mmCIF file with all atom_site columns, all heavy atoms in Angstrom:
data_model
loop_
_atom_site.group_PDB
_atom_site.id
_atom_site.type_symbol
_atom_site.label_atom_id
_atom_site.label_alt_id
_atom_site.label_comp_id
_atom_site.label_asym_id
_atom_site.label_entity_id
_atom_site.label_seq_id
_atom_site.pdbx_PDB_ins_code
_atom_site.Cartn_x
_atom_site.Cartn_y
_atom_site.Cartn_z
_atom_site.occupancy
_atom_site.B_iso_or_equiv
_atom_site.pdbx_formal_charge
_atom_site.auth_seq_id
_atom_site.auth_comp_id
_atom_site.auth_asym_id
_atom_site.auth_atom_id
_atom_site.pdbx_PDB_model_num
ATOM 1   N N   . SER A 1 117 ? 110.829 12.933 10.920 1.00 94.00 ? 121 SER A N   1
ATOM 2   C CA  . SER A 1 117 ? 109.646 12.289 10.318 1.00 94.00 ? 121 SER A CA  1
ATOM 3   C C   . SER A 1 117 ? 108.623 11.880 11.357 1.00 94.00 ? 121 SER A C   1
ATOM 4   O O   . SER A 1 117 ? 107.959 10.849 11.228 1.00 94.00 ? 121 SER A O   1
ATOM 5   C CB  . SER A 1 117 ? 110.054 11.081 9.466  1.00 94.00 ? 121 SER A CB  1
ATOM 6   O OG  . SER A 1 117 ? 110.874 11.471 8.403  1.00 94.00 ? 121 SER A OG  1
ATOM 7   N N   . THR A 1 118 ? 108.498 12.695 12.405 1.00 94.00 ? 122 THR A N   1
ATOM 8   C CA  . THR A 1 118 ? 107.529 12.418 13.463 1.00 94.00 ? 122 THR A CA  1
ATOM 9   C C   . THR A 1 118 ? 106.713 13.673 13.753 1.00 94.00 ? 122 THR A C   1
ATOM 10  O O   . THR A 1 118 ? 106.971 14.741 13.212 1.00 94.00 ? 122 THR A O   1
ATOM 11  C CB  . THR A 1 118 ? 108.238 11.965 14.757 1.00 94.00 ? 122 THR A CB  1
ATOM 12  O OG1 . THR A 1 118 ? 109.128 13.011 15.195 1.00 94.00 ? 122 THR A OG1 1
ATOM 13  C CG2 . THR A 1 118 ? 109.032 10.690 14.537 1.00 94.00 ? 122 THR A CG2 1
ATOM 14  N N   . GLY A 1 119 ? 105.724 13.538 14.649 1.00 90.00 ? 123 GLY A N   1
ATOM 15  C CA  . GLY A 1 119 ? 104.919 14.674 15.063 1.00 90.00 ? 123 GLY A CA  1
ATOM 16  C C   . GLY A 1 119 ? 103.717 14.904 14.168 1.00 90.00 ? 123 GLY A C   1
ATOM 17  O O   . GLY A 1 119 ? 103.453 14.142 13.227 1.00 90.00 ? 123 GLY A O   1
ATOM 18  N N   . ILE A 1 120 ? 102.973 15.989 14.480 1.00 86.00 ? 124 ILE A N   1
ATOM 19  C CA  . ILE A 1 120 ? 101.736 16.245 13.746 1.00 86.00 ? 124 ILE A CA  1
ATOM 20  C C   . ILE A 1 120 ? 101.994 16.592 12.283 1.00 86.00 ? 124 ILE A C   1
ATOM 21  O O   . ILE A 1 120 ? 101.146 16.370 11.432 1.00 86.00 ? 124 ILE A O   1
ATOM 22  C CB  . ILE A 1 120 ? 100.925 17.370 14.410 1.00 86.00 ? 124 ILE A CB  1
ATOM 23  C CG1 . ILE A 1 120 ? 101.743 18.665 14.465 1.00 86.00 ? 124 ILE A CG1 1
ATOM 24  C CG2 . ILE A 1 120 ? 100.459 16.980 15.798 1.00 86.00 ? 124 ILE A CG2 1
ATOM 25  C CD1 . ILE A 1 120 ? 100.944 19.855 14.928 1.00 86.00 ? 124 ILE A CD1 1
ATOM 26  N N   . GLY A 1 121 ? 103.175 17.107 11.957 1.00 85.00 ? 125 GLY A N   1
ATOM 27  C CA  . GLY A 1 121 ? 103.494 17.418 10.564 1.00 85.00 ? 125 GLY A CA  1
ATOM 28  C C   . GLY A 1 121 ? 103.662 16.186 9.704  1.00 85.00 ? 125 GLY A C   1
ATOM 29  O O   . GLY A 1 121 ? 103.629 16.255 8.479  1.00 85.00 ? 125 GLY A O   1
ATOM 30  N N   . ALA A 1 122 ? 103.878 15.040 10.330 1.00 88.00 ? 126 ALA A N   1
ATOM 31  C CA  . ALA A 1 122 ? 104.051 13.786 9.601  1.00 88.00 ? 126 ALA A CA  1
ATOM 32  C C   . ALA A 1 122 ? 102.748 13.008 9.469  1.00 88.00 ? 126 ALA A C   1
ATOM 33  O O   . ALA A 1 122 ? 102.732 11.927 8.876  1.00 88.00 ? 126 ALA A O   1
ATOM 34  C CB  . ALA A 1 122 ? 105.098 12.921 10.301 1.00 88.00 ? 126 ALA A CB  1
ATOM 35  N N   . ALA A 1 123 ? 101.663 13.543 10.047 1.00 83.00 ? 127 ALA A N   1
ATOM 36  C CA  . ALA A 1 123 ? 100.382 12.830 10.051 1.00 83.00 ? 127 ALA A CA  1
ATOM 37  C C   . ALA A 1 123 ? 99.441  13.409 8.998  1.00 83.00 ? 127 ALA A C   1
ATOM 38  O O   . ALA A 1 123 ? 99.548  14.570 8.614  1.00 83.00 ? 127 ALA A O   1
ATOM 39  C CB  . ALA A 1 123 ? 99.742  12.912 11.433 1.00 83.00 ? 127 ALA A CB  1
ATOM 40  N N   . LEU A 1 124 ? 98.514  12.582 8.557  1.00 73.00 ? 128 LEU A N   1
ATOM 41  C CA  . LEU A 1 124 ? 97.492  13.058 7.629  1.00 73.00 ? 128 LEU A CA  1
ATOM 42  C C   . LEU A 1 124 ? 96.552  14.037 8.330  1.00 73.00 ? 128 LEU A C   1
ATOM 43  O O   . LEU A 1 124 ? 96.242  13.859 9.507  1.00 73.00 ? 128 LEU A O   1
ATOM 44  C CB  . LEU A 1 124 ? 96.677  11.882 7.095  1.00 73.00 ? 128 LEU A CB  1
ATOM 45  C CG  . LEU A 1 124 ? 97.365  10.970 6.092  1.00 73.00 ? 128 LEU A CG  1
ATOM 46  C CD1 . LEU A 1 124 ? 96.487  9.753  5.814  1.00 73.00 ? 128 LEU A CD1 1
ATOM 47  C CD2 . LEU A 1 124 ? 97.625  11.698 4.788  1.00 73.00 ? 128 LEU A CD2 1
ATOM 48  N N   . PRO A 1 125 ? 96.084  15.067 7.623  1.00 76.00 ? 129 PRO A N   1
ATOM 49  C CA  . PRO A 1 125 ? 95.148  16.006 8.246  1.00 76.00 ? 129 PRO A CA  1
ATOM 50  C C   . PRO A 1 125 ? 93.751  15.429 8.434  1.00 76.00 ? 129 PRO A C   1
ATOM 51  O O   . PRO A 1 125 ? 92.932  16.005 9.134  1.00 76.00 ? 129 PRO A O   1
ATOM 52  C CB  . PRO A 1 125 ? 95.124  17.178 7.265  1.00 76.00 ? 129 PRO A CB  1
ATOM 53  C CG  . PRO A 1 125 ? 95.479  16.567 5.950  1.00 76.00 ? 129 PRO A CG  1
ATOM 54  C CD  . PRO A 1 125 ? 96.437  15.466 6.258  1.00 76.00 ? 129 PRO A CD  1
ATOM 55  N N   . VAL A 1 126 ? 93.477  14.291 7.815  1.00 83.00 ? 130 VAL A N   1
ATOM 56  C CA  . VAL A 1 126 ? 92.176  13.638 7.971  1.00 83.00 ? 130 VAL A CA  1
ATOM 57  C C   . VAL A 1 126 ? 92.289  12.605 9.086  1.00 83.00 ? 130 VAL A C   1
ATOM 58  O O   . VAL A 1 126 ? 93.092  11.684 9.000  1.00 83.00 ? 130 VAL A O   1
ATOM 59  C CB  . VAL A 1 126 ? 91.731  12.972 6.660  1.00 83.00 ? 130 VAL A CB  1
ATOM 60  C CG1 . VAL A 1 126 ? 90.451  12.173 6.879  1.00 83.00 ? 130 VAL A CG1 1
ATOM 61  C CG2 . VAL A 1 126 ? 91.532  14.023 5.579  1.00 83.00 ? 130 VAL A CG2 1
ATOM 62  N N   . SER A 1 127 ? 91.506  12.779 10.140 1.00 84.00 ? 131 SER A N   1
ATOM 63  C CA  . SER A 1 127 ? 91.641  11.901 11.304 1.00 84.00 ? 131 SER A CA  1
ATOM 64  C C   . SER A 1 127 ? 90.687  10.718 11.274 1.00 84.00 ? 131 SER A C   1
ATOM 65  O O   . SER A 1 127 ? 90.854  9.775  12.045 1.00 84.00 ? 131 SER A O   1
ATOM 66  C CB  . SER A 1 127 ? 91.439  12.703 12.590 1.00 84.00 ? 131 SER A CB  1
ATOM 67  O OG  . SER A 1 127 ? 90.208  13.389 12.549 1.00 84.00 ? 131 SER A OG  1
ATOM 68  N N   . ALA A 1 128 ? 89.677  10.771 10.428 1.00 91.00 ? 132 ALA A N   1
ATOM 69  C CA  . ALA A 1 128 ? 88.736  9.651  10.322 1.00 91.00 ? 132 ALA A CA  1
ATOM 70  C C   . ALA A 1 128 ? 88.017  9.735  8.986  1.00 91.00 ? 132 ALA A C   1
ATOM 71  O O   . ALA A 1 128 ? 87.905  10.815 8.397  1.00 91.00 ? 132 ALA A O   1
ATOM 72  C CB  . ALA A 1 128 ? 87.720  9.686  11.468 1.00 91.00 ? 132 ALA A CB  1
ATOM 73  N N   . MET A 1 129 ? 87.558  8.595  8.509  1.00 92.00 ? 133 MET A N   1
ATOM 74  C CA  . MET A 1 129 ? 86.733  8.605  7.300  1.00 92.00 ? 133 MET A CA  1
ATOM 75  C C   . MET A 1 129 ? 85.832  7.383  7.297  1.00 92.00 ? 133 MET A C   1
ATOM 76  O O   . MET A 1 129 ? 86.103  6.393  7.984  1.00 92.00 ? 133 MET A O   1
ATOM 77  C CB  . MET A 1 129 ? 87.583  8.662  6.029  1.00 92.00 ? 133 MET A CB  1
ATOM 78  C CG  . MET A 1 129 ? 88.280  7.387  5.650  1.00 92.00 ? 133 MET A CG  1
ATOM 79  S SD  . MET A 1 129 ? 89.028  7.518  4.009  1.00 92.00 ? 133 MET A SD  1
ATOM 80  C CE  . MET A 1 129 ? 90.416  8.577  4.359  1.00 92.00 ? 133 MET A CE  1
ATOM 81  N N   . GLY A 1 130 ? 84.767  7.489  6.536  1.00 95.00 ? 134 GLY A N   1
ATOM 82  C CA  . GLY A 1 130 ? 83.846  6.373  6.432  1.00 95.00 ? 134 GLY A CA  1
ATOM 83  C C   . GLY A 1 130 ? 83.235  6.287  5.040  1.00 95.00 ? 134 GLY A C   1
ATOM 84  O O   . GLY A 1 130 ? 83.107  7.297  4.349  1.00 95.00 ? 134 GLY A O   1
ATOM 85  N N   . PHE A 1 131 ? 82.895  5.089  4.641  1.00 97.00 ? 135 PHE A N   1
ATOM 86  C CA  . PHE A 1 131 ? 82.197  4.845  3.374  1.00 97.00 ? 135 PHE A CA  1
ATOM 87  C C   . PHE A 1 131 ? 80.827  4.262  3.699  1.00 97.00 ? 135 PHE A C   1
ATOM 88  O O   . PHE A 1 131 ? 80.724  3.328  4.520  1.00 97.00 ? 135 PHE A O   1
ATOM 89  C CB  . PHE A 1 131 ? 82.982  3.854  2.503  1.00 97.00 ? 135 PHE A CB  1
ATOM 90  C CG  . PHE A 1 131 ? 84.336  4.348  2.074  1.00 97.00 ? 135 PHE A CG  1
ATOM 91  C CD1 . PHE A 1 131 ? 85.443  4.187  2.890  1.00 97.00 ? 135 PHE A CD1 1
ATOM 92  C CD2 . PHE A 1 131 ? 84.510  4.982  0.855  1.00 97.00 ? 135 PHE A CD2 1
ATOM 93  C CE1 . PHE A 1 131 ? 86.692  4.638  2.501  1.00 97.00 ? 135 PHE A CE1 1
ATOM 94  C CE2 . PHE A 1 131 ? 85.749  5.442  0.452  1.00 97.00 ? 135 PHE A CE2 1
ATOM 95  C CZ  . PHE A 1 131 ? 86.849  5.268  1.282  1.00 97.00 ? 135 PHE A CZ  1
ATOM 96  N N   . TYR A 1 132 ? 79.775  4.784  3.059  1.00 96.00 ? 136 TYR A N   1
ATOM 97  C CA  . TYR A 1 132 ? 78.444  4.270  3.377  1.00 96.00 ? 136 TYR A CA  1
ATOM 98  C C   . TYR A 1 132 ? 77.499  4.466  2.196  1.00 96.00 ? 136 TYR A C   1
ATOM 99  O O   . TYR A 1 132 ? 77.787  5.207  1.246  1.00 96.00 ? 136 TYR A O   1
ATOM 100 C CB  . TYR A 1 132 ? 77.883  4.952  4.633  1.00 96.00 ? 136 TYR A CB  1
ATOM 101 C CG  . TYR A 1 132 ? 77.754  6.454  4.555  1.00 96.00 ? 136 TYR A CG  1
ATOM 102 C CD1 . TYR A 1 132 ? 76.578  7.061  4.126  1.00 96.00 ? 136 TYR A CD1 1
ATOM 103 C CD2 . TYR A 1 132 ? 78.817  7.280  4.909  1.00 96.00 ? 136 TYR A CD2 1
ATOM 104 C CE1 . TYR A 1 132 ? 76.444  8.436  4.049  1.00 96.00 ? 136 TYR A CE1 1
ATOM 105 C CE2 . TYR A 1 132 ? 78.704  8.657  4.848  1.00 96.00 ? 136 TYR A CE2 1
ATOM 106 C CZ  . TYR A 1 132 ? 77.522  9.232  4.417  1.00 96.00 ? 136 TYR A CZ  1
ATOM 107 O OH  . TYR A 1 132 ? 77.412  10.592 4.338  1.00 96.00 ? 136 TYR A OH  1
ATOM 108 N N   . ARG A 1 133 ? 76.370  3.794  2.266  1.00 96.00 ? 137 ARG A N   1
ATOM 109 C CA  . ARG A 1 133 ? 75.342  3.871  1.226  1.00 96.00 ? 137 ARG A CA  1
ATOM 110 C C   . ARG A 1 133 ? 74.357  4.987  1.577  1.00 96.00 ? 137 ARG A C   1
ATOM 111 O O   . ARG A 1 133 ? 73.906  5.079  2.718  1.00 96.00 ? 137 ARG A O   1
ATOM 112 C CB  . ARG A 1 133 ? 74.601  2.538  1.108  1.00 96.00 ? 137 ARG A CB  1
ATOM 113 C CG  . ARG A 1 133 ? 75.492  1.371  0.704  1.00 96.00 ? 137 ARG A CG  1
ATOM 114 C CD  . ARG A 1 133 ? 74.751  0.041  0.851  1.00 96.00 ? 137 ARG A CD  1
ATOM 115 N NE  . ARG A 1 133 ? 75.559  -1.089 0.426  1.00 96.00 ? 137 ARG A NE  1
ATOM 116 C CZ  . ARG A 1 133 ? 76.447  -1.712 1.199  1.00 96.00 ? 137 ARG A CZ  1
ATOM 117 N NH1 . ARG A 1 133 ? 76.621  -1.316 2.458  1.00 96.00 ? 137 ARG A NH1 1
ATOM 118 N NH2 . ARG A 1 133 ? 77.132  -2.728 0.739  1.00 96.00 ? 137 ARG A NH2 1
ATOM 119 N N   . SER A 1 134 ? 74.005  5.782  0.587  1.00 94.00 ? 138 SER A N   1
ATOM 120 C CA  . SER A 1 134 ? 73.070  6.884  0.832  1.00 94.00 ? 138 SER A CA  1
ATOM 121 C C   . SER A 1 134 ? 71.636  6.396  0.942  1.00 94.00 ? 138 SER A C   1
ATOM 122 O O   . SER A 1 134 ? 70.777  7.117  1.460  1.00 94.00 ? 138 SER A O   1
ATOM 123 C CB  . SER A 1 134 ? 73.172  7.917  -0.296 1.00 94.00 ? 138 SER A CB  1
ATOM 124 O OG  . SER A 1 134 ? 72.765  7.345  -1.541 1.00 94.00 ? 138 SER A OG  1
ATOM 125 N N   . ARG A 1 135 ? 71.361  5.188  0.481  1.00 92.00 ? 139 ARG A N   1
ATOM 126 C CA  . ARG A 1 135 ? 69.995  4.654  0.533  1.00 92.00 ? 139 ARG A CA  1
ATOM 127 C C   . ARG A 1 135 ? 70.066  3.129  0.491  1.00 92.00 ? 139 ARG A C   1
ATOM 128 O O   . ARG A 1 135 ? 71.050  2.557  -0.010 1.00 92.00 ? 139 ARG A O   1
ATOM 129 C CB  . ARG A 1 135 ? 69.149  5.187  -0.633 1.00 92.00 ? 139 ARG A CB  1
ATOM 130 C CG  . ARG A 1 135 ? 69.662  4.821  -2.008 1.00 92.00 ? 139 ARG A CG  1
ATOM 131 C CD  . ARG A 1 135 ? 68.907  5.536  -3.120 1.00 92.00 ? 139 ARG A CD  1
ATOM 132 N NE  . ARG A 1 135 ? 69.340  5.100  -4.441 1.00 92.00 ? 139 ARG A NE  1
ATOM 133 C CZ  . ARG A 1 135 ? 70.396  5.569  -5.076 1.00 92.00 ? 139 ARG A CZ  1
ATOM 134 N NH1 . ARG A 1 135 ? 71.150  6.501  -4.505 1.00 92.00 ? 139 ARG A NH1 1
ATOM 135 N NH2 . ARG A 1 135 ? 70.719  5.125  -6.273 1.00 92.00 ? 139 ARG A NH2 1
ATOM 136 N N   . PRO A 1 136 ? 69.039  2.465  0.972  1.00 92.00 ? 140 PRO A N   1
ATOM 137 C CA  . PRO A 1 136 ? 69.025  0.999  0.958  1.00 92.00 ? 140 PRO A CA  1
ATOM 138 C C   . PRO A 1 136 ? 69.005  0.470  -0.472 1.00 92.00 ? 140 PRO A C   1
ATOM 139 O O   . PRO A 1 136 ? 68.541  1.138  -1.403 1.00 92.00 ? 140 PRO A O   1
ATOM 140 C CB  . PRO A 1 136 ? 67.731  0.643  1.698  1.00 92.00 ? 140 PRO A CB  1
ATOM 141 C CG  . PRO A 1 136 ? 67.351  1.874  2.459  1.00 92.00 ? 140 PRO A CG  1
ATOM 142 C CD  . PRO A 1 136 ? 67.853  3.030  1.656  1.00 92.00 ? 140 PRO A CD  1
ATOM 143 N N   . GLY A 1 137 ? 69.501  -0.749 -0.635 1.00 93.00 ? 141 GLY A N   1
ATOM 144 C CA  . GLY A 1 137 ? 69.442  -1.413 -1.929 1.00 93.00 ? 141 GLY A CA  1
ATOM 145 C C   . GLY A 1 137 ? 70.665  -1.230 -2.791 1.00 93.00 ? 141 GLY A C   1
ATOM 146 O O   . GLY A 1 137 ? 70.793  -1.907 -3.833 1.00 93.00 ? 141 GLY A O   1
ATOM 147 N N   . LEU A 1 138 ? 71.571  -0.335 -2.437 1.00 94.00 ? 142 LEU A N   1
ATOM 148 C CA  . LEU A 1 138 ? 72.793  -0.162 -3.227 1.00 94.00 ? 142 LEU A CA  1
ATOM 149 C C   . LEU A 1 138 ? 73.758  -1.309 -2.954 1.00 94.00 ? 142 LEU A C   1
ATOM 150 O O   . LEU A 1 138 ? 73.889  -1.786 -1.828 1.00 94.00 ? 142 LEU A O   1
ATOM 151 C CB  . LEU A 1 138 ? 73.472  1.168  -2.884 1.00 94.00 ? 142 LEU A CB  1
ATOM 152 C CG  . LEU A 1 138 ? 72.725  2.445  -3.274 1.00 94.00 ? 142 LEU A CG  1
ATOM 153 C CD1 . LEU A 1 138 ? 73.519  3.667  -2.819 1.00 94.00 ? 142 LEU A CD1 1
ATOM 154 C CD2 . LEU A 1 138 ? 72.490  2.500  -4.784 1.00 94.00 ? 142 LEU A CD2 1
#
Side-chain angles (χ1 to χ4, degrees):
S121 298
T122 60
I124 59 172
L128 287 172
V130 174
S131 54
M133 75 171 74
F135 297 86
Y136 59 92
R137 298 170 178 84
S138 64
R139 61 188 184 277
L142 293 178

